[in-house]
Amino acid sequence: MDLQELYRDVILDHNKHPRNFGHLDPCDSSADGNNPLCGDRLTVTLRMQDGELGEVCFEGKGCAISTASASLMTEAVKGKTLAEIAQLHELVHHTLTDTQAPIPKELGKLAALAGVREYPARVKCASLCWHTLAAALDHLQTEGESSPASVTTE
Ligand code: ZN
């Protein structure tokens, strides 16, 4: 299966049947993400467990790529430590933005996202959920702040 086929199949599947779609209540942290260029909006809620991301959910409205990317992300980051998530975020970012980079095996199913490299305008759609998750995780470490974290792509 070539990259474009994989891209189409995985994006269609996860857009139609998003995994971990919903809202955790109570949650340890949450963040809102907004991509005004496309109109994608999503909210990530999460719960930590023993230093790992125990549960993570997302909800919102967006294009197929933003929804599928968030769905894939929640599957990929569950059960990982903050350091592992930061590493994966870095890997995804690199894969999405460097059109010459080989696609790392460690990405697993997330490799399908590399298909957006062909469409630079959609990279923000695919990366919105990752920025939003990072904001929620940052928020986790700044105790005492009560307003929810939010992030807008530029
Ligand atoms: Zn979008």
Side-chain angles (χ1 to χ4, degrees):
M1 206 188 263
D2 72 11
L3 181 62
Q4 287 308 318
E5 264 176 71
L6 176 75
Y7 170 65
R8 233 179 2 248
D9 285 5
V10 173
I11 300 292
L12 284 177
D13 173 40
H14 279 259
N15 179 49
K16 216 170 177 181
H17 310 285
R19 323 297 201 265
N20 305 302
F21 191 85
H23 197 89
L24 292 170
D25 186 20
C27 64
D28 293 329
S29 187
S30 70
D32 297 321
N34 179 20
N35 173 19
L37 276 178
C38 178
D40 309 316
R41 284 177 170 278
L42 54 89
T43 300
V44 168
T45 48
L46 61 87
R47 262 185 232 143
M48 298 302 290
Q49 194 179 7
D50 304 327
E52 293 175 348
L53 188 57
E55 294 282 342
V56 56
C57 280
F58 80 100
E59 62 184 357
K61 258 187 171 341
C63 64
I65 292 170
S66 71
T67 301
S69 178
S71 172
L72 284 162
M73 179 190 77
T74 57
E75 281 196 320
V77 296
K78 212 185 263 194
K80 288 197 158 58
T81 64
L82 299 187
E84 288 168 339
I85 292 168
Q87 217 169 21
L88 197 57
H89 183 179
E90 185 65 32
L91 212 55
V92 168
H93 179 77
H94 192 66
T95 305
L96 287 176
T97 53
D98 182 351
T99 55
Q100 303 304 317
I103 294 158
K105 272 205 299 285
E106 302 93 297
L107 281 183
K109 258 202 261 175
L110 291 169
L113 292 173
V116 305
R117 295 206 285 205
E118 312 289 324
Y119 315 97
R122 313 311 296 272
V123 168
K124 287 192 169 74
C125 302
S127 59
L128 177 65
C129 60
W130 288 92
H131 292 306
T132 309
L133 175 66
L137 292 173
D138 278 352
H139 192 64
L140 200 61
Q141 287 153 349
T142 52
E143 276 179 67
E145 242 183 81
S146 57
S147 60
S150 74
V151 44
T152 301
T153 58
E154 281 159 28

